[in-house]
């Protein structure tokens, strides 16, 4: 799924430097690894059948608690805030541990 649900139109020679900058800005620990994988996204031979390309904003019956760690290399803290922004009433709990 890592490669099959990436919007390929975003991966081109013009956008590549911006995508790499976003990866480094999001994760100091894993930005370089994911930047090296970006070219593979474009050439991945399969596209996810269930890739969701719609709006990620919603009002849920109950508020959502997003938990993020400043030292999490796979799901960096900025991603918790990005996800929370789409859900009315949600909050982010920051923890200081790994993962």
């Amino acid at each position: 799924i890592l490669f099959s649900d990436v919007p390929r139109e975003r991966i081109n020679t013009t956008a590549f430097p911006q995508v790499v900058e976003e990866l480094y800005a999001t994760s100091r620990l894993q930005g370089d690894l994911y930047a090296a994988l970006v070219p593979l996204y474009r050439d991945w031979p399969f596209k996810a059948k269930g890739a969701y390309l719609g709006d990620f904003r919603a009002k849920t019956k109950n508020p959502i608690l997003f938990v993020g760690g400043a030292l999490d290399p796979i799901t960096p803290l900025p991603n918790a805030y990005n996800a929370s922004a789409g859900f009315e009433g949600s909050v982010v709990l920051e923890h200081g541990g790994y993962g």
Side-chain angles (χ1 to χ4, degrees):
I1 293 205
L2 177 63
F3 297 143
S4 64
D5 65 351
V6 173
R8 287 179 177 78
E9 62 276 1
R10 217 175 148 224
I11 309 300
N12 58 53
T13 54
T14 305
F16 183 75
Q18 180 183 351
V19 171
V20 171
E21 286 297 321
E22 289 174 11
L23 290 168
Y24 281 122
T26 302
S27 175
R28 294 174 300 170
L29 299 173
Q30 291 288 331
D32 55 345
L33 171 65
Y34 286 119
L37 296 175
V38 166
L40 297 175
Y41 293 154
R42 188 193 65 222
D43 298 327
W44 193 250
F46 309 103
K47 184 164 177 69
K49 292 181 181 179
Y52 180 73
L53 302 175
D55 187 6
F56 283 93
R57 299 187 174 281
K59 181 174 181 173
T60 57
K61 181 178 176 183
N62 298 299
I64 298 174
L65 172 65
F66 290 91
V67 180
L71 302 175
D72 186 340
I74 303 302
T75 322
L77 188 57
N79 290 7
Y81 283 100
N82 290 342
S84 176
F87 293 90
E88 187 178 318
S90 68
V91 293
V92 175
L93 171 65
E94 295 183 27
H95 70 83
Y98 297 96

